[in-house]
Amino acid sequence: MDIGAHVDQTDPIAEARARQAPLVQFFLGDPQGYKGPEISYAAGADALRDDAVAAGVDLYVHAPYIVNVATTNNRIRIPSRKLLQQHVDAAAAIGAKGLIVHGGHVNKSDDPQVGFDNWRKAVDAVDLKLPLLIENTAGGDNAMTRYLERIQGVWDAISSCEQADRVGFCLDTCHAHAGGNALETVVDDVRAITGRIDLVHCNDSRDDFDSGADRHANLGAGKVDPDLLAAVVRDAAAPVVLETPGGADDHVADTRWLRDRL
Ligand SMILES: [Zn+2]
């Protein structure tokens, strides 16, 4: 099983080497800004793509947190869609295997159906040059991908899109736990809806089940049952990205913790 980590974007190849990881995930530019993607790798996008291939490292890009293509607010939805396309283009340019994006949310009083339909419009509007992996979230008012019935709504909406087969799922274990989804069944539950799990974000949680809080912890140091955490990773049978606190040493320790239980 391939296990890597979320790393700094300046030199993802060096970060992978420091963790002996076959894959890494990173942001392209400011995860909280609308400015658009930037390639921090000194030698540029083409070199990053080629160097990753040469090093045998798979790259994954995490879209900015502020992307919310579901919202009814035009001033957020329209720039979000633009930012998503820009990140698709940049991630494809570096040969990334996938672009991870959060499901987003609608406003408190909105009908979630509008959010589902906005997802459909986004998938129709964006030219998906690489797989787009929609991630479950831990909280958020009226979230699109916290609870299973909402994930179902998103998938029902996008299933008619021409590019539906380019949309996959990223299962975050911290978000599933804190979001209130039983880890005993979440892999089967998600697969029954999406038909696929393309990537796992393996994180422990500092918070209780269904707390709605998004605070990652190192593996075994949080409130997720260790056996369940390992079982989710095993059953999902997809590449794993650790988004746990700390640097290379902590990620090496988390990788060892996980491998010992798989
Ligand atoms: Zn995550």
Side-chain angles (χ1 to χ4, degrees):
M1 185 163 287
D2 287 346
I3 303 173
H6 184 92
V7 300
D8 183 85
Q9 58 190 298
T10 310
D11 190 349
I13 311 295
E15 301 287 352
R17 202 179 302 123
R19 294 161 177 80
Q20 293 190 308
L23 71 151
V24 285
Q25 171 189 286
F26 47 93
F27 294 115
L28 293 178
D30 178 5
Q32 304 288 0
Y34 283 106
K35 214 180 136 202
E38 290 166 11
I39 306 290
S40 310
Y41 195 63
D46 289 349
L48 178 52
R49 182 193 60 224
D50 295 346
D51 292 351
V53 170
V57 175
D58 286 345
L59 309 179
Y60 288 84
V61 172
H62 199 302
Y65 296 123
I66 52 159
V67 169
N68 183 2
V69 299
T71 180
T72 57
N73 182 341
N74 294 346
R75 285 174 301 167
I76 295 174
R77 192 181 66 259
I78 292 167
S80 286
R81 215 182 270 174
K82 182 180 172 201
L83 203 50
L84 191 60
Q85 181 70 69
Q86 290 173 325
H87 273 78
V88 165
D89 295 347
I94 62 167
K97 301 293 177 193
L99 175 69
I100 296 94
V101 64
H102 287 181
H105 57 94
V106 291
N107 293 327
K108 224 169 195 166
S109 57
D110 288 336
D111 179 354
Q113 197 61 47
V114 182
F116 303 151
D117 206 44
N118 282 339
W119 255 113
R120 178 186 63 76
K121 289 175 184 166
V123 171
D124 275 337
V126 175
D127 177 14
L128 292 178
K129 295 167 180 154
L130 82 172
L132 180 68
L133 309 182
I134 304 177
E135 180 178 356
N136 60 313
T137 55
D141 286 337
N142 234 344
M144 290 285 106
T145 56
R146 173 175 176 175
Y147 293 112
L148 294 166
E149 61 180 40
R150 294 292 178 83
I151 297 172
Q152 180 79 61
V154 172
W155 245 260
D156 286 348
I158 64 175
S159 63
S160 63
C161 297
E162 213 171 295
Q163 301 182 102
D165 62 339
R166 306 230 84 187
V167 182
F169 197 81
C170 173
L171 177 64
D172 188 304
T173 56
C174 168
H175 300 175
H177 161 89
N181 298 283
L183 292 189
E184 288 87 343
T185 60
V186 73
V187 170
D188 287 343
D189 293 342
V190 166
R191 263 210 205 102
I193 295 167
T194 65
R196 56 198 281 183
I197 293 173
D198 299 82
L199 191 69
V200 173
H201 282 170
C202 185
N203 305 304
D204 209 330
S205 170
R206 288 169 65 186
D207 300 283
D208 289 326
F209 183 80
D210 209 17
S211 60
D214 184 3
R215 299 190 304 162
H216 298 187
N218 291 99
L219 307 188
K223 298 201 172 178
V224 179
D225 179 280
D227 293 333
L228 279 178
L229 197 54
V232 167
V233 169
R234 201 183 306 122
D235 295 347
V240 176
V241 172
L242 301 162
E243 298 176 317
T244 50
D249 291 348
D250 303 277
H251 292 150
V252 167
D254 281 337
T255 301
R256 195 170 301 136
W257 184 98
L258 187 56
R259 285 210 186 282
D260 283 349
R261 286 164 179 80
L262 290 178

